Amino acid sequence: MNRSQPLVLGIESSCDETGVGIVRGTTLLTNTVSSSMDEHVRFGGVIPEIASRAHLDAFVPTLEQALADAGVALEDVDAIAVTSGPGLAGALMVGVCAAKALAVATGKPLFAINHLVAHVGVGLLDDRATGRRQELPENLGALLVSGGHTEILRINSITSDVELLGSTIDDAAGEAYDKVARILGLGYPGGPAIDKMARTGNAKAIRFPRGLTQPKYMGTADEPGPHRYDWSFSGLKTAVARCVEQFEARGEEIPVADIAAAFQEAVVDVISSKAVLACREHGIKDVLLGGGVAANSRLRELTGQRCASAGIRLHVPPLDLCTDNGAMVAALGAQLVMAGAEPSGIGFAPDSSMPVTSVSLPA
């Protein structure tokens, strides 16, 4: 195996995207994605059984396209990496079984990795504009915001030491966007719809709650409260629903744009403020923003402003590498190979609740 510049095939199937990416060391050769999002629109959210069946249909064509785009053959690959968790159990099973089949058929080593950590690993890929190799700064923080996860991490080592500083205790931010968009009649997926609508609204027209920001939850730097760096969005979602009901009860027109703007401001305000607080109090000077909600214009804007004010450098990967994809899985797999990590073998099972502190599964 080439451990200095390994050719790694990455497979991602944790939700509704079937992703196959191929990297050589830190150079991205292809990032091929097939999404089943359109099949979930009429349900207002991802239906696990539909997603799993879509992965089954899409995997072989996506793999073939990725190999063709990268100009490599399956036998050229040094290692295979696959998302083993967290995610939807059935969807994970499809990707894991496909990866195991490929590993057995080709004799290639297989690495079972955590797709949350992979969101950070994608930051190590060469800059596509300049071709220059990128390095992860020491004591890096990572803010992951998606439909399934909202977390702030400290990355001591991308291959072996990831620390969870704070996370959501209920709905993830993207999930809250989808639910509020449904309440406002904006359709699915909710993130882009609310982001677009919010641009025409007044974020100060309504004051929605910022969950877990009361002193009993925050505490102080010397005596941290139980949820100092954690988030909660379920109360915010309920507040939006009550607000809409009040307008309806009075027979008034619902100010959709203002509600969307005020809701979005509440989300990004508390996400960015708590993330920056965690970074400041842990001496973190660089933070990477990843996950599907990283595409949100207001989140990028406010997080950038607050990081700059706190002397923290914000790193945001290209938008197509922020959402779930095979390239990030291959990128982390390549890091594990270059670090001399042992493969996972084929005896592991997918773990839908895999903790972020587990970068990969041991053999």
Side-chain angles (χ1 to χ4, degrees):
M1 183 195 299
N2 183 348
R3 287 195 177 272
S4 61
Q5 289 289 311
L7 184 66
V8 179
L9 173 76
I11 298 169
E12 155 62 25
S13 68
S14 63
C15 192
D16 61 341
E17 282 106 2
T18 306
V20 178
I22 301 175
V23 304
R24 189 184 300 278
T26 57
T27 303
L28 176 62
L29 301 184
T30 186
N31 179 34
T32 307
V33 179
S34 174
S35 176
S36 63
M37 181 181 293
D38 290 346
E39 298 180 44
H40 305 282
V41 169
R42 63 194 176 102
F43 300 103
V46 176
I47 305 301
E49 179 65 19
I50 293 176
S52 300
R53 291 178 180 275
H55 287 307
L56 281 171
D57 293 337
F59 180 74
V60 171
T62 306
L63 173 64
E64 292 175 341
Q65 185 66 53
L67 291 169
D69 291 345
V72 301
L74 199 54
E75 54 265 28
D76 299 330
V77 170
D78 291 309
I80 299 169
V82 64
T83 292
S84 57
L88 301 175
L92 289 169
M93 183 69 74
V94 176
V96 166
C97 288
K100 288 182 178 182
L102 288 176
V104 170
T106 62
K108 307 296 183 180
L110 177 61
F111 292 84
I113 70 170
N114 190 309
H115 101 262
L116 296 180
V117 184
H119 275 297
V120 184
V122 79
L124 277 165
L125 292 174
D126 298 344
D127 188 302
R128 284 184 286 183
T130 64
R132 287 182 295 191
R133 184 169 182 173
Q134 303 189 100
E135 301 286 344
L136 291 183
E138 292 185 6
N139 202 21
L140 172 72
L143 174 59
L144 305 182
V145 190
S146 70
H149 306 276
T150 305
E151 292 153 332
I152 180 73
L153 315 173
R154 178 160 63 181
I155 313 298
N156 299 309
S157 167
I158 189 65
T159 58
S160 62
D161 189 358
V162 175
E163 180 183 356
L164 178 65
L165 300 180
S167 65
T168 178
I169 64 171
D170 43 54
D171 291 353
E175 185 181 3
Y177 267 91
D178 288 339
K179 292 178 178 178
V180 167
R182 189 183 312 168
I183 292 171
L184 296 177
L186 296 178
Y188 174 85
I194 288 180
D195 194 15
K196 180 179 180 180
M197 181 62 69
R199 293 170 193 158
T200 63
N202 178 8
K204 297 181 179 180
I206 304 165
R207 172 74 181 183
F208 285 125
R210 274 68 167 162
L212 301 182
T213 57
Q214 300 92 333
K216 65 178 179 179
Y217 298 122
M218 295 294 293
T220 64
D222 294 329
E223 296 185 16
H227 295 294
R228 186 167 180 80
Y229 310 131
D230 293 332
W231 295 279
S232 170
F233 299 108
S234 64
L236 172 59
K237 172 196 65 183
T238 302
V240 172
R242 298 293 86 82
C243 176
V244 170
E245 289 173 359
Q246 289 168 8
F247 278 103
E248 291 176 335
R250 295 194 297 264
E252 299 176 7
E253 182 180 353
I254 299 171
V256 174
D258 288 349
I259 293 176
F263 161 77
Q264 176 160 277
E265 195 65 21
V267 172
V268 302
D269 179 22
V270 72
I271 286 178
S272 58
S273 63
K274 286 205 170 198
V276 169
L277 176 66
C279 290
R280 285 176 48 220
E281 294 185 349
H282 286 82
I284 293 171
K285 293 297 184 182
D286 292 86
V287 64
L288 182 143
L289 175 62
V293 184
N296 181 273
S297 62
R298 182 57 179 153
L299 177 63
R300 293 159 72 94
E301 178 185 34
L302 188 57
T303 304
Q305 290 172 353
R306 287 180 168 170
C307 282
S309 297
I312 299 169
R313 290 177 291 271
L314 179 65
H315 306 264
V316 185
L319 289 182
D320 63 324
L321 296 180
C322 287
T323 54
D324 294 342
N325 61 81
M328 68 183 193
V329 178
L332 181 55
Q335 291 297 316
L336 290 167
V337 172
M338 290 187 286
E342 288 298 316
S344 303
I346 61 170
F348 67 93
D351 183 356
S352 59
S353 57
M354 186 177 182
V356 72
T357 49
S358 297
V359 177
S360 64
L361 295 179

